């Protein structure tokens, strides 16, 4: 099987390496910035291009991994060649590809990626969708070469997944950023939080998030919460108060 990666960002970089490791030839990498295309192409022994008109027409699968609002433009710019076309977005519907490509779908790995640290895809959940049963089965086969956890999910389900991921990952990471600000002000390093963060995450293997909740809010310890709020600036006090109130309401 021969693949073309359209994009050279965090997701595209990790996917390109994972495909290669799974025995799928990465024939070409596209990026609108040639230097970025070449940087990834060299690592996966592929050709590079910054011109959509030069996308090779003889690949088996084309994986569009660009910003969400650019997916439709990229797909419409490349003529249909009968191959399999997928995008990797959690929040963009499959229909953006159906107007330009007859065999299309979604190839969404739900994980936080970075170019600097390559991800082991074996446990990364893939959520796939195809515009026909045959197409979905083909996408599922490719995803199964990378991961043991492949699920079929509709575009509407993936929207919900993406919202959940924002809460679980993006918002959680921002909370760690705020925690780091508090620690910096106190002259303490953030890494003192790592055992606590690790233990909190590990508990979720045995308990639901609601069951593993701890802290002053679930205990309705108003004295402690008022003391904490008095130490914070206006912005962080508002966040602290809203979250504490939400926890108390959830655990009345």
């Amino acid at each position: 099987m021969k693949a073309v990666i359209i994009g050279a960002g965090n997701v595209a970089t990790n996917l390109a390496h994972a495909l290669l490791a799974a025995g799928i030839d990465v024939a070409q990498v596209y990026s609108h910035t040639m230097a970025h295309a070449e940087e990834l192409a060299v690592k996966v022994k592929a050709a590079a291009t910054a011109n959509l008109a030069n996308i090779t027409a003889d690949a088996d699968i084309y994986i569009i991994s660009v910003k969400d609002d650019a997916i439709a433009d990229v797909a419409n710019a490349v003529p249909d060649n009968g191959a399999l076309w997928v995008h990797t977005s959690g929040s963009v519907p499959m229909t953006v590809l159906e107007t330009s490509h007859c065999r299309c779908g979604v190839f969404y790995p739900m994980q936080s990626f970075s170019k600097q640290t390559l991800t082991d895809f074996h446990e990364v959940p893939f959520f796939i969708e195809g515009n026909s049963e045959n197409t979905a089965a083909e996408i599922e086969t490719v995803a199964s070469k990378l991961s043991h956890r492949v699920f079929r999910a509709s575009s509407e389900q993936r929207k919900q997944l993406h919202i959940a991921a924002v809460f679980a990952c993006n918002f959680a990471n921002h909370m760690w950023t705020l925690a780091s600000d508090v620690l910096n002000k106190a002259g303490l390093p953030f890494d003192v939080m790592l055992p606590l963060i690790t233990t909190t995450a590990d508990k979720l293997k045995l308990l639901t998030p609601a069951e593993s909740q701890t802290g002053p809010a679930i205990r309705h310890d108003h004295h402690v919460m008022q003391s904490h709020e008095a130490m914070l600036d206006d912005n962080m006090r508002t966040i602290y108060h809203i979250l504490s109130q939400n926890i108390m309401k959830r655990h009345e």
Side-chain angles (χ1 to χ4, degrees):
M1 177 173 278
K2 185 186 295 186
V4 169
I5 304 294
I6 301 177
N10 293 329
V11 178
T13 296
N14 277 268
L15 273 176
H17 284 277
L19 290 167
L20 192 64
I24 298 174
D25 177 35
V26 180
Q28 190 178 46
V29 174
Y30 162 86
S31 173
H32 66 273
T33 303
M34 188 62 180
H36 294 166
E38 289 176 336
E39 180 183 7
L40 177 55
V42 167
K43 293 176 181 177
V44 295
K45 300 177 181 178
T49 183
N51 187 344
L52 287 171
N54 292 335
I55 294 287
T56 183
D58 64 350
D60 301 293
I61 183 170
Y62 295 75
I63 301 175
I64 303 175
S65 185
V66 297
K67 292 180 180 180
D68 286 0
D69 58 5
I71 292 173
D73 290 339
V74 168
N76 291 330
V78 184
D80 188 26
N81 58 353
L84 186 59
W85 286 76
V86 296
H87 72 66
T88 61
S89 172
S91 57
V92 175
M94 178 178 62
T95 52
V96 301
L97 301 181
E98 287 186 300
T99 57
S100 54
H101 297 281
C102 62
R103 294 171 58 225
C104 63
V106 179
F107 192 69
Y108 171 49
M110 193 177 70
Q111 182 55 279
S112 178
F113 296 104
S114 68
K115 290 183 179 182
Q116 293 75 23
T117 305
L118 295 179
T119 298
D120 180 354
F121 274 79
H122 288 96
E123 296 300 324
V124 172
F126 270 82
F127 296 91
I128 64 101
E129 184 180 13
N131 68 332
S132 72
E133 175 56 35
N134 287 341
T135 301
E138 290 182 75
I139 298 170
E140 192 169 15
T141 297
V142 177
S144 297
K145 292 179 182 293
L146 276 60
S147 173
H148 301 302
R149 307 188 67 198
V150 180
F151 306 89
R152 295 197 184 193
S154 68
S155 291
E156 184 57 37
Q157 286 176 312
R158 280 186 293 100
K159 286 182 182 179
Q160 299 297 326
L161 277 166
H162 200 244
I163 294 171
V166 168
F167 275 99
C169 178
N170 306 140
F171 289 170
N173 191 78
H174 186 62
M175 293 300 103
W176 301 335
T177 301
L178 297 183
S180 180
D181 291 343
V182 172
L183 290 168
N184 287 338
K185 186 176 180 180
L188 295 168
F190 178 75
D191 62 13
V192 299
M193 290 286 110
L194 295 181
L196 177 62
I197 292 170
T198 300
T199 298
T200 301
D202 284 345
K203 284 197 299 182
L204 299 178
K205 298 174 183 177
L206 302 173
L207 303 171
T208 67
E211 290 170 338
S212 65
Q213 184 70 54
T214 61
I218 194 173
R219 297 193 301 268
H220 291 247
D221 195 335
H222 296 281
H223 178 74
V224 171
M225 289 187 287
Q226 289 168 1
S227 174
H228 286 173
E229 289 185 20
M231 298 169 63
L232 300 171
D233 62 32
D234 290 345
N235 181 56
M236 291 184 67
R237 185 184 304 117
T238 299
I239 295 171
Y240 185 102
H241 184 79
I242 291 173
L243 290 173
S244 295
Q245 291 296 314
N246 199 268
I247 292 170
M248 286 192 293
K249 183 176 181 180
R250 180 67 179 262
H251 297 274
E252 285 178 340

